[in-house]
Amino acid sequence: MMKMTETLFLLLISELYSFQLAFSHFHHVSLSRSYEEAKEYCREMYTDLATVNNLTDMADLMASVPNTTVRAWIGLEMGDAPKWHWAWPHQKLNFSNWMAGQPQGLVQNSCAAMNLLGQWFESDCKLKRSFVCQGNINDTSNYIFVGNTKSWRDAQKHCRDLSMDLVGVGSAEENVDVRNVSTSQNVWIGLFRDAWKWSDGSESSFRHWKPQQPNSANQDCVAAVFKDESRWNDLGCSSKHTFVCHGPSKVVPTGETSTQETQGVTFPSTSSSSEEIPINSTAATSTQQLCSGNLILIRKNMTWMEALGYCREHHMDLVYISDQGAQDRAAAMARNATSSHVWLGLRYTCNFNFWFWTGSAADCYQNWAPGQGLEGANGCGVTGAMEATGGQQWVGLVETRQLNFICQDCAG
Ligand SMILES: *[C@@H]1O[C@H](CO)[C@@H](O)[C@H](O)[C@H]1NC(C)=O
Ligand SMILES: *[C@@H]1O[C@H](CO)[C@@H](O)[C@H](O)[C@H]1NC(C)=O
Ligand SMILES: *[C@@H]1O[C@H](CO)[C@@H](O)[C@H](O)[C@H]1NC(C)=O
Ligand SMILES: *[C@@H]1O[C@H](CO)[C@@H](O)[C@H](O)[C@H]1NC(C)=O
Ligand SMILES: *[C@@H]1O[C@H](CO)[C@@H](O)[C@H](O)[C@H]1NC(C)=O
Ligand SMILES: *[C@@H]1O[C@H](CO)[C@@H](O)[C@H](O)[C@H]1NC(C)=O
Ligand SMILES: *[C@@H]1O[C@H](CO)[C@@H](O)[C@H](O)[C@H]1NC(C)=O
Ligand SMILES: *[C@@H]1O[C@H](CO)[C@@H](O)[C@H](O)[C@H]1NC(C)=O
């Protein structure tokens, strides 16, 4: 009895967990891809590569990533021209108080300081200065002067550790107030210049670099490095990493229930024809067994996107075929389909010419029909299906075809 209760509890927890993941703003994709390929994938399946606005977002992003992940692309990339930004992620640059002849714009990356007269000047970010922190961008009474001298980046870290940031200045009055709390000659304010831009066009000026980063002129794309508090590093864009997308899934849940047209078959066990996840103590403890098992043929005709949405809503994903055994199990189910083919969790990215599984990073096993796969005449919106009869090999079909499909109950 105890064991059963525990099992139910575990199942409940894992359901809640996947529910949360499914609605999280961030989606880690464990395929290893170049930055541009990753961007293409995110734009196809979600909104774009991840944009990060603040440390709360960063914590959410970290939570979306398996703890074994070393680094993953986010949507920050080199833009055309450097721009000034306030450290506060969305503060407008509608007021300035530069000294005559400033800013000079001599280097790509620079920072701004305020002199005794409240005038601003461009400065090397590595110089050590006192600084002013601000607790809330809308609260101009909440300034803190810090007399210790630090580099601009270290000064920002000091402010952030106090749940503040370097001060933003929105008006002449605020400028006077900031000058007035400062007792030393020149202080850092929260103004900096860089050329990074977000893939989705967001104006967020939030940056979370590792110390000494970014550090290279030809590393134009950015990854979060999870062992270093998820701080950021600039990398060559063609290097391959997993990545984090943001935005709702473009896969629309169908909302239909599924009791009649489905056939659940558990391999190698023959017991279940139910739609429900088996409540069985081994199921909770041995994921492997559960995963090798549950494929479900859905005898309804849907487009590929609808089918993917259906599987993600009622099960885990469209079927992923990793080896001959999985192929044989899926083929046996496909023979009972009412359509000529059944959808698999296979999708083609037209701009980068590769196939990927929606539910798995791996892609070692293939079973394409002759002239299919990478040799096929694939266009955009082509997805993968298995022949229901004959050799039961894989073919590329336009995603709007209406076919039966096979779901699986666990990740690939
Ligand atoms: C962080 O940014 C997100 C938008 O990405 C916003 O919804 C949230 O309120 C922000 N949190 C804080 C603490 O500013
Ligand atoms: C990752 O998480 C799993 C369980 O959630 C845990 O068993 C494992 O020790 C963690 N690994 C690391 C490196 O933290
Ligand atoms: C700049 O914009 C902020 C709010 O976005 C506002 O509080 C401030 O008064 C504006 N300053 C000027 C000089 O328009
Ligand atoms: C600051 O005020 C603006 C408009 O007055 C508002 O949109 C924004 O959410 C406020 N930000 C914070 C952090 O309170
Ligand atoms: C500057 O701050 C002092 C106290 O720290 C205050 O007495 C004075 O009125 C302030 N001046 C301005 C112009 O705000
Ligand atoms: C759970 O399933 C396994 C095989 O899949 C079976 O041997 C075992 O008897 C089942 N346990 C219960 C409690 O149904
Ligand atoms: C196919 O359908 C028949 C009859 O409905 C059933 O007996 C058989 O188990 C099904 N095979 C598979 C692999 O689902
Ligand atoms: C699915 O479509 C095929 C034709 O492609 C049709 O023969 C079959 O009856 C349809 N199945 C269902 C369940 O509508």
Side-chain angles (χ1 to χ4, degrees), residues 11 14 265-268 276-280 282-296 316 329 408-411:
L11 282 172
S14 69
V265 175
T266 306
F267 290 93
E276 306 303 319
I277 296 173
I279 299 193
N280 177 321
T282 50
T285 50
S286 165
T287 328
Q288 192 54 45
Q289 190 164 9
L290 185 63
C291 283
S292 67
N294 285 350
L295 301 184
I296 302 98
M316 182 85 189
R329 290 193 293 275
Q408 65 183 30
D409 262 335
C410 48

XYZ file of all heavy atoms in Angstrom, residues 11 14 265-268 276-280 282-296 316 329 408-411:
236
model
N 4.211 9.786 -9.686
C 3.608 10.036 -10.993
C 2.986 11.429 -11.035
O 3.124 12.159 -12.001
C 2.530 8.989 -11.290
C 3.079 7.643 -11.741
C 1.953 6.623 -11.812
C 3.768 7.777 -13.091
N 5.697 13.970 -11.297
C 6.323 14.046 -12.609
C 5.353 14.647 -13.626
O 5.766 15.341 -14.542
C 6.828 12.681 -13.063
O 5.741 11.846 -13.323
N -0.345 -0.066 -27.264
C 0.255 -1.385 -27.149
C 1.595 -1.240 -26.452
O 2.396 -0.401 -26.816
C 0.455 -2.033 -28.525
C 1.183 -3.352 -28.366
C -0.886 -2.255 -29.201
N 1.783 -2.023 -25.413
C 3.021 -1.940 -24.667
C 3.928 -3.091 -25.073
O 3.539 -4.242 -24.981
C 2.737 -2.030 -23.162
O 1.785 -1.029 -22.854
C 3.992 -1.796 -22.364
N 5.069 -2.766 -25.578
C 6.045 -3.805 -25.891
C 7.058 -3.833 -24.779
O 7.479 -2.785 -24.326
C 6.767 -3.479 -27.205
C 5.882 -3.617 -28.402
C 5.187 -2.524 -28.898
C 5.764 -4.837 -29.044
C 4.385 -2.664 -30.013
C 4.956 -4.965 -30.165
C 4.266 -3.874 -30.654
N 7.591 -4.977 -24.330
C 7.218 -6.287 -24.803
C 5.979 -6.838 -24.107
O 5.469 -7.880 -24.502
C 8.431 -7.136 -24.448
C 8.981 -6.482 -23.228
C 8.682 -5.027 -23.356
N -4.126 5.571 -20.438
C -3.481 6.104 -19.242
C -2.063 5.581 -19.098
O -1.750 4.480 -19.517
C -4.285 5.706 -18.000
C -5.744 6.097 -18.064
C -5.933 7.587 -18.288
O -5.194 8.369 -17.680
O -6.819 7.960 -19.077
N -1.246 6.400 -18.461
C 0.089 5.925 -18.101
C -0.092 4.806 -17.089
O -0.852 4.954 -16.136
C 0.905 7.064 -17.476
C 1.102 8.153 -18.520
C 2.231 6.569 -16.931
C 1.752 9.387 -17.988
N 0.550 3.656 -17.301
C 0.328 2.547 -16.383
C 0.730 2.909 -14.953
O 1.780 3.501 -14.745
C 1.236 1.436 -16.922
C 1.951 1.985 -18.077
C 1.497 3.356 -18.354
N -0.142 2.589 -14.024
C 0.203 2.835 -12.629
C 0.756 1.540 -12.093
O 0.049 0.612 -11.775
C -1.021 3.306 -11.836
C -1.481 4.611 -12.466
C -0.698 3.467 -10.376
C -2.465 5.370 -11.672
N 2.057 1.490 -12.062
C 2.756 0.246 -11.781
C 4.066 0.655 -11.144
O 4.751 1.535 -11.650
C 2.982 -0.481 -13.122
C 3.763 -1.753 -12.948
O 4.693 -1.813 -12.150
N 3.406 -2.767 -13.716
N 6.928 -0.466 -11.017
C 8.163 -0.479 -11.811
C 8.187 0.690 -12.793
O 9.234 1.135 -13.200
C 8.327 -1.787 -12.605
O 7.121 -2.024 -13.310
C 8.638 -2.948 -11.714
N 6.998 1.150 -13.147
C 6.955 2.242 -14.115
C 7.672 3.472 -13.587
O 8.390 4.146 -14.303
C 5.508 2.583 -14.441
N 7.457 3.760 -12.295
C 8.051 4.967 -11.738
C 9.549 4.820 -11.528
O 10.304 5.761 -11.684
C 7.383 5.311 -10.424
N 9.971 3.614 -11.183
C 11.379 3.453 -10.846
C 12.218 3.105 -12.065
O 13.386 3.400 -12.112
C 11.571 2.353 -9.780
O 10.849 1.210 -10.240
C 11.040 2.799 -8.442
N 11.640 2.475 -13.047
C 12.421 2.086 -14.205
C 11.927 2.804 -15.456
O 11.093 2.309 -16.186
C 12.339 0.565 -14.400
O 12.800 0.237 -15.685
N 12.442 3.973 -15.658
C 12.051 4.778 -16.803
C 12.374 4.042 -18.089
O 11.658 4.109 -19.070
C 12.823 6.098 -16.797
O 13.070 6.455 -15.461
C 12.040 7.170 -17.494
N 13.484 3.317 -18.050
C 13.938 2.608 -19.227
C 12.839 1.686 -19.742
O 12.500 1.690 -20.912
C 15.201 1.795 -18.885
C 15.911 1.256 -20.102
C 16.212 2.358 -21.089
O 16.668 3.428 -20.701
N 15.938 2.119 -22.361
N 12.278 0.944 -18.818
C 11.259 -0.016 -19.197
C 10.041 0.694 -19.782
O 9.523 0.320 -20.812
C 10.833 -0.803 -17.966
C 9.966 -1.984 -18.324
C 9.875 -2.947 -17.168
O 10.323 -2.638 -16.062
N 9.316 -4.108 -17.398
N 9.651 1.786 -19.118
C 8.512 2.547 -19.581
C 8.813 3.108 -20.972
O 7.994 3.072 -21.872
C 8.239 3.681 -18.602
C 6.993 4.522 -18.867
C 5.757 3.676 -18.753
C 6.949 5.678 -17.904
N 10.047 3.564 -21.133
C 10.396 4.229 -22.372
C 10.511 3.269 -23.532
O 10.168 3.602 -24.654
C 11.705 4.980 -22.221
S 11.473 6.502 -21.324
N 10.992 2.079 -23.282
C 11.127 1.151 -24.391
C 9.736 0.669 -24.796
O 9.553 0.105 -25.845
C 11.994 -0.039 -23.996
O 11.314 -0.794 -23.028
N 8.775 0.901 -23.933
C 7.464 0.323 -24.128
C 6.468 1.129 -24.923
O 6.203 0.837 -26.080
N 5.930 2.180 -24.322
C 4.662 2.684 -24.781
C 4.674 3.475 -26.081
O 5.032 4.636 -26.098
C 4.039 3.549 -23.691
C 3.479 2.687 -22.583
O 3.394 1.470 -22.728
N 3.113 3.308 -21.492
N 4.271 2.808 -27.140
C 3.960 3.497 -28.380
C 2.453 3.412 -28.556
O 1.846 2.393 -28.232
C 4.648 2.826 -29.566
C 6.164 2.742 -29.519
C 6.679 2.141 -30.820
C 6.760 4.104 -29.292
N 1.861 4.456 -29.037
C 0.413 4.466 -29.200
C 0.078 4.922 -30.621
O 0.470 6.021 -31.020
C -0.273 5.408 -28.179
C 0.079 4.988 -26.754
C -1.788 5.396 -28.343
C 1.183 5.757 -26.128
N 3.871 12.014 -24.708
C 5.103 12.782 -24.533
C 5.476 13.489 -25.827
O 5.711 14.681 -25.859
C 6.217 11.835 -24.094
C 7.521 12.512 -23.825
S 7.555 13.156 -22.137
C 9.069 14.094 -22.225
N 8.962 -2.074 -33.779
C 7.765 -1.858 -32.950
C 6.832 -0.851 -33.614
O 5.621 -1.058 -33.674
C 8.165 -1.357 -31.558
C 8.851 -2.415 -30.710
C 8.938 -1.992 -29.246
N 9.818 -0.848 -29.029
C 11.137 -0.940 -28.864
N 11.729 -2.117 -28.902
N 11.858 0.139 -28.660
N 4.592 8.480 -28.407
C 5.292 7.694 -27.394
C 5.146 8.392 -26.057
O 4.885 9.592 -25.991
C 6.755 7.499 -27.755
C 7.574 8.770 -27.773
C 8.996 8.496 -28.216
O 9.261 7.572 -28.995
N 9.917 9.284 -27.712
N 5.332 7.612 -24.996
C 5.072 8.138 -23.665
C 6.307 8.607 -22.923
O 6.256 8.870 -21.743
C 4.383 7.066 -22.809
C 2.880 7.291 -22.796
O 2.474 8.442 -23.011
O 2.143 6.329 -22.578
N 7.452 8.650 -23.583
C 8.653 9.059 -22.859
C 9.637 9.696 -23.822
O 9.527 9.524 -25.025
C 9.291 7.864 -22.181
S 9.431 6.480 -23.308
N 10.579 10.421 -23.248
C 11.551 11.150 -24.070
C 12.508 10.180 -24.753
O 12.791 9.100 -24.251
C 12.336 12.123 -23.212
